[in-house]
């Protein structure tokens, strides 16, 4: 996909961002080159767990109903010209075989989703049919992966953005590559000479990845064994579960929680990454917050200070490993595009911005600061002074709305 450099898109556009346990609906009023994003509003909706493993009709009907409800709240600050259909950029953060700017077939589900009857189907068609069933008159003009959306949104705000990385429920990265460096490329080169590469790096696997017995067992019991290995080491869907498995092993082998193994601790995914983050960030002298979390999640009312410290240490190890592996991925992209060291001719290194999005990066501060510190270590002091990690909050939503605008059916009319 080529990124537009125009920046003069204007009008009202919607975006739907589906990529994890929540989805987001968003509307933006674009004001062209001068005003950029005039106004934006969004709403986040949780997906009931049963819909993540149900049928495509149930899932898309639920999403389209939420979207229709959101459209009903459109205020007077947003202006849709008379006689025009609302247009939507659809961010769909699962591996897709993209067949055009507004169509693509699902390759496989990831991140705990396993919806029946969707693999090989066009995701835009499924959403469009659900919107019709809701009586919602809206056209999907762009299908976007979240990393590509974040890259488009980041680039719109800052032209030095070279890559976008998602660290949330799942993980992925996209970057801007010189078209002549793409072996798979056939046909005419794009005008800009650049192309966006969606790496789908979550599915990376290698013998060099440091898999522990806990990772191997979790992978074996997952909905997609042998797949998304890199993602299973570093993303928000899995970090808390790795901690739970370590705690369970210690409960069995070392009576960590006393003579009886807490039955709640036997439940897969009972310990979520936000809980892990809260335990990890507890800086009180007696780790009171951590103790309260263990009581809520594991059902152990009284834990000794030693048990709390051990638990926090486990959170620290799992988060640090994930963050360092994520930083290694970012470094590999910088190396690929030649932004990992100072130019040989002695000229100044260009400013290089990485747009980062996702709840894990945004909310888990010890994780995100470890990503940044590791990146600095890998780059070295001189090169790292030109590299900026920038939180692109909801970058993928804005990016999807922008791409919907730049591919609007009314683009020729304006």
């Amino acid at each position: 996909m080529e990124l537009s450099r125009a920046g003069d898109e204007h009008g009202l556009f919607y975006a739907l961002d589906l990529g994890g346990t929540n989805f987001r609906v968003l509307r933006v009023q674009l004001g062209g080159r001068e005003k950029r994003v005039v106004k934006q509003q969004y709403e986040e909706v949780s997906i009931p767990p049963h819909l993540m493993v149900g049928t495509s009709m149930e899932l898309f009907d639920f999403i389209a109903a939420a979207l229709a409800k959101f459209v009903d709240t459109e205020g007077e600050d947003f202006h849709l010209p008379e006689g025009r259909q609302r247009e939507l950029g659809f961010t769909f953060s699962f591996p897709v075989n993209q067949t055009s700017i507004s169509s693509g077939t699902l390759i496989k589900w990831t991140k705990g989703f396993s919806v029946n009857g969707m693999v090989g189907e066009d995701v835009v068609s499924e959403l469009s049919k659900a919107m019709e069933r809701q009586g919602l008159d809206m056209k999907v003009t762009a299908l976007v992966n979240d990393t590509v959306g974040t890259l488009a949104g980041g680039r719109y705000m800052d032209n030095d953005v070279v890559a976008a990385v998602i660290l949330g429920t799942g993980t992925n990265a996209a970057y801007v590559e010189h078209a002549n460096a793409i072996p798979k490329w056939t046909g005419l080169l794009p005008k800009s000479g650049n192309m966006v590469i969606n790496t789908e790096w979550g599915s990376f696997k290698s013998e060099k990845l440091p898999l522990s017995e806990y990772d191997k067992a979790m992978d074996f019991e997952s909905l997609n064994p042998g797949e998304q290995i890199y993602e299973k080491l570093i993303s928000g869907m899995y970090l808390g579960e790795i901690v739970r498995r370590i705690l369970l092993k210690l409960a069995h082998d070392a009576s960590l929680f006393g003579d009886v193994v807490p039955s709640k601790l036997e439940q897969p995914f009972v310990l979520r990454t936000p809980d892990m983050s809260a335990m990890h960030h507890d800086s009180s002298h007696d780790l009171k917050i951590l103790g309260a979390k263990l009581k809520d999640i594991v059902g152990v009312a009284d834990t000794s200070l030693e048990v709390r410290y051990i638990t926090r240490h486990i959170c620290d190890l799992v988060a640090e490993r994930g963050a360092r592996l994520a930083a290694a991925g970012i470094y590999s992209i910088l190396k690929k595009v030649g932004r990992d060291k100072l130019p040989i001719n002695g000229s100044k290194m260009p400013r290089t911005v990485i747009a980062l999005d996702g709840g894990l990066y945004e909310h888990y501060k010890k994780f995100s600061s470890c990503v940044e510190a590791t990146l600095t270590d890998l780059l070295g002091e001189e090169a790292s002074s030109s590299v900026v990690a920038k939180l692109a909050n909801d970058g993928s939503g804005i990016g999807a709305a922008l791409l919907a605008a730049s591919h609007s059916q009314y683009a020729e009319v304006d």
Side-chain angles (χ1 to χ4, degrees):
M1 184 183 285
E2 188 177 8
L3 286 185
S4 144
R5 287 186 57 138
D8 52 9
E9 294 82 3
H10 57 276
L12 168 63
F13 295 91
Y14 277 79
L16 164 65
D17 192 344
L18 172 65
T21 42
N22 299 319
F23 67 88
R24 195 173 261 211
V25 286
L26 173 107
R27 61 177 148 249
V28 292
Q29 189 78 39
L30 298 173
R33 196 177 289 276
E34 295 305 311
K35 293 181 181 167
R36 298 284 166 137
V37 176
V38 178
K39 189 173 170 61
Q40 59 171 299
Q41 286 175 336
Y42 74 88
E43 208 167 278
E44 202 158 283
V45 184
S46 282
I47 299 175
H50 71 274
L51 291 182
M52 292 168 65
V53 290
T55 67
S56 60
M57 189 184 254
E58 289 168 329
L59 176 65
F60 281 97
D61 278 352
F62 178 79
I63 291 165
L67 187 55
K69 208 166 136 192
F70 183 65
V71 170
D72 286 344
T73 65
E74 195 181 281
E76 286 176 12
D77 306 353
F78 293 90
H79 310 288
L80 183 76
E82 194 125 344
R84 288 200 177 182
Q85 192 180 20
R86 285 178 181 82
E87 294 179 308
L88 174 87
F90 180 21
T91 303
F92 184 75
S93 314
F94 299 92
V96 157
N97 180 21
Q98 187 131 8
T99 43
S100 78
I101 184 63
S102 59
S103 61
T105 57
L106 177 68
I107 295 169
K108 63 179 178 184
W109 287 110
T110 57
K111 294 177 278 198
F113 278 75
S114 185
V115 173
N116 291 328
M118 270 293 292
V119 171
E121 295 299 318
D122 181 359
V123 295
V124 171
S125 168
E126 293 293 317
L127 176 62
S128 302
K129 286 187 287 198
M131 290 194 296
E132 269 174 47
R133 289 193 291 269
Q134 290 295 328
L136 177 59
D137 183 25
M138 189 177 267
K139 182 181 173 67
V140 179
T141 58
L143 172 66
V144 187
N145 179 277
D146 56 350
T147 41
V148 175
T150 301
L151 190 54
R155 192 87 160 190
Y156 182 70
M157 301 298 182
D158 185 335
N159 214 37
D160 292 333
V161 169
V162 299
V165 175
I166 306 292
L167 291 166
T169 305
T171 182
N172 193 10
Y175 71 100
V176 180
E177 181 62 279
H178 302 299
N180 56 13
I182 306 168
K184 286 162 77 171
W185 185 259
T186 54
L188 292 170
L189 291 177
K191 281 198 288 283
S192 66
N194 291 329
M195 206 67 190
V196 173
I197 303 288
N198 167 20
T199 66
E200 288 296 342
W201 80 6
S203 62
F204 174 67
K205 58 180 173 186
S206 159
E207 285 172 10
K208 293 191 167 60
L209 286 173
L211 294 184
S212 67
E213 61 180 281
Y214 310 104
D215 303 306
K216 287 171 186 168
M218 181 179 73
D219 173 49
F220 183 73
E221 292 165 32
S222 70
L223 290 167
N224 53 349
E227 294 180 10
Q228 304 297 113
I229 301 298
Y230 187 52
E231 180 168 272
K232 284 170 180 164
L233 294 173
I234 67 176
S235 80
M237 173 92 193
Y238 303 101
L239 294 180
E241 173 63 3
I242 298 166
V243 170
R244 179 196 72 85
R245 285 171 178 271
I246 298 169
L247 290 175
L248 182 62
K249 171 93 167 157
L250 289 174
H252 274 292
D253 295 1
S255 305
L256 185 68
F257 299 107
D259 295 338
V260 180
V261 174
S263 60
K264 274 177 142 183
L265 194 58
E266 304 267 9
Q267 293 172 32
F269 293 95
V270 72
L271 175 60
R272 294 160 53 253
T273 303
D275 299 320
M276 169 190 173
S277 172
M279 294 195 296
H280 193 178
H281 287 99
D282 187 357
S283 55
S284 60
H285 71 96
D286 58 352
L287 300 183
K288 196 166 66 203
I289 298 162
L290 195 150
K293 280 279 172 201
L294 284 175
K295 183 183 173 185
D296 290 350
I297 298 156
V298 182
V300 179
D302 295 311
T303 46
S304 69
L305 194 54
E306 186 187 16
V307 165
R308 294 177 196 185
Y309 272 109
I310 288 168
T311 304
R312 190 174 69 175
H313 183 57
I314 293 164
C315 294
D316 198 38
L317 291 172
V318 172
E320 186 180 329
R321 181 188 67 165
R324 289 176 77 82
L325 285 168
I330 297 169
Y331 176 68
S332 69
I333 287 176
L334 292 176
K335 200 169 176 179
K336 177 74 178 70
V337 295
R339 298 289 183 102
D340 60 321
K341 50 182 175 287
L342 299 175
I344 308 162
N345 61 11
S347 60
K348 198 167 171 284
M349 186 165 161
R351 180 171 174 268
T352 299
V353 181
I354 314 287
L356 286 126
D357 198 8
L360 180 66
Y361 184 81
E362 185 181 354
H363 302 300
Y364 198 149
K365 296 303 175 200
K366 281 186 186 282
F367 184 93
S368 49
S369 51
C370 183
V371 171
E372 287 157 30
T374 306
L375 198 52
T376 301
D377 286 349
L378 290 167
L379 287 163
E381 219 162 291
E382 276 190 286
S384 70
S385 63
S386 302
V387 175
V388 183
K390 199 172 176 181
L391 177 67
N393 200 344
D394 199 44
S396 63
I398 298 281
L402 282 167
L403 289 164
S406 61
H407 293 87
S408 167
Q409 61 192 319
Y410 306 109
E412 305 308 311
V413 179
D414 292 330

